Amino acid sequence: MTVIRNEKKFDRFWTITAGTFCLLALVFTLIALRTSSWTINEYSTGGEVQWHGLFYKCTRLSCAANYDENFSVIFLCIMSILFLLIATIFIFLMGIHSFPRRHFYLTPLFAFIGVLLLFITVVLYARYSKINGISARLMITAIVLGYASFAIVVFVAGRYSIFYKKNPTDFQYTKTETNEIVKPVEEEPTMSNVEN
């Protein structure tokens, strides 16, 4: 009995860690989306330092809107924020509330799609501009945190999955069409249990 409790605490610790990483990736992405220091151009033609972001192109004295060039990057960044938000909520639900085990594959799926969209966002922006500003570094940090969260969530979801036969607690096959008796999940024989 003690081993199961310790495993649940261990899984809960990893779930909270993954949720924190995913939440930090979400916050860093929101900050990077809103700030205007993706590219810093110190050697512009006028001799003045310029900051380029997704929404604005700024100098020391003024900012001008810059929506048209970065529309695809902005759209992908907003989509990745939505997927990371859903993944963060699902990760914390997985650690706190036990939603049905057959749907644990959704959490790593949302985390993967969110981080993949973040990566595509940075690649699309870097295709036509330098990424030497603080906002671009925040996006790269968000990608690293998102992939770390994804790896942890895949591990924890695999342990909670219905396909993991060593963990049959709180799982029963439900038959809706017939009134058959529910059979407990049996462990498959291994080489040490089988004798010739």
Side-chain angles (χ1 to χ4, degrees):
M1 228 14 122
T2 326
V3 176
I4 294 173
R5 281 190 194 148
N6 287 339
E7 283 183 7
K8 286 186 179 181
K9 286 182 184 178
F10 179 73
D11 290 343
R12 196 164 280 160
F13 166 75
W14 281 115
T15 305
I16 291 171
T17 304
T20 305
F21 284 172
C22 199
L23 183 64
L24 281 173
L26 177 67
V27 169
F28 288 169
T29 305
L30 282 170
I31 292 171
L33 176 70
R34 195 61 199 127
T35 57
S36 62
S37 65
W38 281 64
T39 301
I40 300 171
N41 188 3
E42 296 176 358
Y43 307 107
S44 63
T45 55
E48 191 162 333
V49 178
Q50 295 177 348
W51 295 273
H52 301 274
L54 296 180
F55 294 104
Y56 297 107
K57 192 180 281 189
C58 297
T59 61
R60 291 182 196 203
L61 301 175
S62 65
C63 286
N66 190 21
Y67 297 104
D68 297 337
E69 292 179 13
N70 302 322
F71 181 74
S72 61
V73 175
I74 293 169
F75 177 74
L76 285 175
C77 195
I78 290 172
M79 291 303 295
S80 69
I81 286 172
L82 291 175
F83 277 105
L84 284 176
L85 177 66
I86 293 169
T88 304
I89 291 170
F90 277 10
I91 289 170
F92 282 120
L93 279 177
M94 195 165 69
I96 296 169
H97 178 65
S98 178
F99 58 95
R101 292 173 63 185
R102 65 182 72 143
H103 301 298
F104 274 148
Y105 67 91
L106 290 176
T107 305
L109 181 70
F110 284 126
F112 177 71
I113 292 172
V115 176
L116 184 65
L117 288 175
L118 276 179
F119 181 72
I120 293 171
T121 300
V122 171
V123 168
L124 283 178
Y125 186 80
R127 184 178 56 156
Y128 60 85
S129 185
K130 293 181 184 177
I131 51 171
N132 61 354
I134 298 294
S135 301
R137 292 180 183 143
L138 278 175
M139 284 292 281
I140 292 169
T141 306
I143 290 170
V144 170
L145 288 172
Y147 276 125
S149 171
F150 170 67
I152 295 170
V153 165
V154 166
F155 172 72
V156 173
R159 288 175 58 89
Y160 283 164
S161 175
I162 61 172
F163 302 114
Y164 188 62
K165 294 189 176 195
K166 302 276 185 201
N167 192 5
T169 58
D170 300 331
F171 176 72
Q172 292 180 350
Y173 290 105
T174 55
K175 303 260 184 187
T176 56
E177 299 171 359
T178 62
N179 293 332
E180 294 181 19
I181 299 172
V182 178
K183 297 179 181 177
V185 179
E186 296 179 6
E187 188 174 322
E188 290 184 11
T190 58
M191 292 298 287
S192 60
N193 294 341
V194 178
E195 296 193 42
N196 292 334

